[in-house]
Amino acid sequence: MVSREPSPRVRELIREAARIALEPSHEWLEEYDQATLAATPPIPERAELAKVISRANRANLHHFALSHLRNPGEPVAPNLGIQPLRMARELMRLGLERLTIDIYRIGQNVAWQRWTEIAFSLTTDPDELHGLLDVPFRSVSTFIDATLAGITAQMELEHDELTRNIAAERRQIADLILDRAPLDREHAQARLDYPLDRSHVAAILWSDQHDADHRYLDDAAAAFGHALGCPRPLTVIAGVDTRWVWVNDAAALDSDQIHEALADTPHVRVAIGAPAPGIEGFRRSHLDAHATRQMLIRLRSPHRVASFPDVEMVALLTENFDGANDFIKNTLGDFEAASPELHLAMRTFIKRNCNVSRAAHQLHMHRNSLVHRLETAQRLLPRSLDDNALEVAVALNALQWRGASNNDPPPPFAE
């Protein structure tokens, strides 16, 4: 059904209804406020929030009625004035932004009841009543939808800007700490919302995926914090695909638990520093995580999670990439290409002070089976294990972290 333009008579009636609506009684305004406030739950700041909501709703009433007084029957522009935006900001600050739609819809229903009463007080003619009700009804629905859309867009812009400002400030303060620049510790703690006088575990999370949106890294950072018993880790955006994270008073590192926490973000990799106390520990643990990440990238390691205490020796050894490859090849010889099972058997045997029984127990295998594997390994080694156990252990540890592709030079490292 095609809507018709309102007649001059209907326009005049709309203008008169708008004039009356602009002068509501005190009792009706109280009723209006109570109805809209019923959408908000009890909160400590309710009294102040009630004033903000009341002013916003009354501003919408005035905006809508004034528009029809000036241009009866015409579409009403969205109200993106001071009061509606302030209400949206307050609700967002309190985590109640979802209530905006409820408040607007309840306000719309109550105001429409008032408009209907005014309409029936102005005319009893069916055609005039139809126009007086139909045109503003369609107008108010469009007005509310447009106002909500405009406010939502504005809040998203403000939220993005605030997030960028906070992220930039956090990065700046973190850089000052890492550079040992002079700074006020109390001010830094307040701005970071993170205590600096405790023990810290730092981590670097990054993704090798060339995605346009890396916000899942923030989810991974939060999951990493929870895995270490810290529900509010400090997260710093170091780049589009990189996050620096610090955790206070972390629980003992459990690689399996961290892998489980990151199960929903399979493209994220984590390099973890050693625990260290105070501001210097904040810095030291981050540098450990940095060295760990460099090692993983340098070696093209397939591992997703690595901690500095586990890889410190390998990280130092492999700073010279070509030299590390030569060391592995010269120390292991043909054993470099042996199966992972043989490598594991040899690593465990050396770690258990070359005690076959202890190593077999840890590997959950028969002693004779382990002896057979060790004899096979010995035949592949270029020198006797008796004279070379330490070097073999170091070479196997480095080999464990190195990726399969190791002939080409390592990729350039970027933070």
Side-chain angles (χ1 to χ4, degrees):
M1 176 174 150
V2 180
S3 61
R4 296 177 297 174
E5 289 293 323
S7 66
R9 170 60 179 163
V10 168
R11 288 183 185 274
E12 186 56 36
L13 287 171
I14 292 175
R15 180 179 285 112
E16 182 61 23
R19 183 178 294 109
I20 297 172
L22 283 169
E23 299 178 356
S25 68
H26 176 75
E27 292 75 19
W28 184 85
L29 286 176
E30 287 292 325
E31 177 187 343
Y32 183 65
D33 289 341
Q34 289 176 9
T36 52
L37 288 173
T40 64
I43 56 175
E45 300 178 51
R46 183 177 174 86
E48 184 59 32
L49 180 61
K51 295 178 184 178
V52 173
I53 293 174
S54 174
R55 290 169 187 154
N57 282 326
R58 294 184 185 193
N60 283 332
L61 284 174
H62 187 270
H63 180 92
F64 182 81
L66 186 62
S67 177
H68 277 300
L69 179 65
R70 293 171 174 171
N71 301 291
E74 297 298 321
V76 180
N79 183 15
L80 303 180
I82 295 174
Q83 300 302 340
L85 289 175
R86 183 183 176 189
M87 183 185 80
R89 292 188 187 103
E90 284 297 305
L91 291 172
M92 179 177 289
R93 182 179 67 83
L94 295 169
L96 301 173
E97 59 270 21
R98 61 182 178 79
L99 296 179
T100 304
I101 295 177
D102 294 338
I103 291 170
Y104 270 71
R105 293 305 181 195
I106 292 173
Q108 176 185 349
N109 291 337
V110 176
W112 185 248
Q113 291 175 6
R114 174 59 180 157
W115 184 273
T116 302
E117 293 172 359
I118 295 172
F120 276 92
S121 73
L122 293 177
T123 182
T124 57
D125 181 271
D127 290 335
E128 291 178 353
L129 274 175
H130 179 270
L132 185 52
L133 293 175
D134 178 62
V135 174
F137 180 79
R138 287 185 281 110
S139 175
V140 73
S141 297
T142 304
F143 163 67
I144 293 295
D145 290 342
T147 298
L148 284 170
I151 288 175
T152 299
Q154 180 63 27
M155 290 304 99
E156 288 176 352
L157 286 174
E158 293 185 12
H159 181 267
D160 289 345
E161 183 178 359
L162 178 61
T163 300
R164 286 194 298 271
N165 290 341
I166 292 174
E169 183 179 32
R170 284 183 174 180
R171 174 62 190 267
Q172 183 181 37
I173 294 173
D175 284 339
L176 289 174
I177 297 174
L178 297 176
D179 292 340
R180 291 200 179 99
L183 82 164
D184 184 320
R185 190 183 71 180
E186 295 299 325
H187 175 75
Q189 288 184 149
R191 301 311 298 166
L192 292 174
D193 192 22
Y194 177 85
L196 296 170
D197 57 352
R198 302 181 185 177
S199 177
H200 310 279
V201 169
I204 298 177
L205 284 71
W206 77 100
S207 172
D208 295 326
Q209 299 295 309
H210 301 294
D211 299 327
D213 186 356
H214 284 86
R215 280 180 291 185
Y216 59 83
L217 281 167
D218 299 316
D219 297 333
F224 173 80
H226 277 283
L228 270 68
C230 179
R232 294 185 62 189
L234 169 63
T235 301
V236 172
I237 300 176
V240 175
D241 59 354
T242 306
R243 300 292 183 270
W244 295 346
V245 182
W246 283 267
V247 172
N248 273 144
D249 303 324
L253 291 177
D254 185 328
S255 181
D256 291 339
Q257 192 171 358
I258 295 173
H259 273 285
E260 182 179 348
L262 302 177
D264 293 333
T265 51
H267 301 311
V268 176
R269 307 182 72 191
V270 186
I272 308 167
I279 286 186
E280 182 56 31
F282 182 98
R283 176 181 177 275
R284 181 70 261 167
S285 188
H286 174 77
L287 294 179
D288 290 347
H290 181 82
T292 303
R293 183 192 182 199
Q294 283 183 302
M295 185 213 73
L296 291 174
I297 294 176
R298 183 168 58 242
L299 298 183
R300 297 185 178 85
S301 175
H303 294 266
R304 288 187 62 203
V305 178
S307 63
F308 187 73
D310 293 334
V311 304
E312 181 176 8
M313 180 176 60
V314 177
L316 291 171
L317 171 68
T318 59
E319 283 186 358
N320 181 338
F321 181 76
D322 292 333
N325 275 339
D326 290 342
F327 173 76
I328 293 171
K329 188 176 296 294
N330 294 335
T331 303
L332 300 182
D334 293 339
F335 187 49
E336 178 185 359
S339 69
E341 290 78 15
L342 281 182
H343 289 163
L344 176 60
M346 181 62 76
R347 279 201 315 273
T348 307
F349 174 65
I350 297 174
K351 187 175 181 180
R352 290 302 174 188
N353 296 319
C354 298
N355 185 300
V356 174
S357 297
R358 291 179 182 175
H361 178 74
Q362 181 174 333
L363 292 168
H364 305 289
M365 64 188 303
H366 194 277
R367 187 179 188 280
N368 291 342
S369 299
L370 177 58
V371 169
H372 175 70
R373 291 188 181 185
L374 293 174
E375 289 173 349
T376 302
Q378 182 63 75
R379 288 194 296 270
L380 296 173
L381 287 169
R383 289 183 295 280
S384 170
L385 184 64
D386 295 337
D387 303 324
N388 204 34
L390 178 60
E391 288 80 357
V392 170
V394 173
L396 282 174
N397 201 15
L399 185 64
Q400 179 187 9
W401 287 99
R402 191 185 69 181
S405 301
N406 56 75
N407 294 322
D408 298 330
F413 180 81
E415 183 52 78

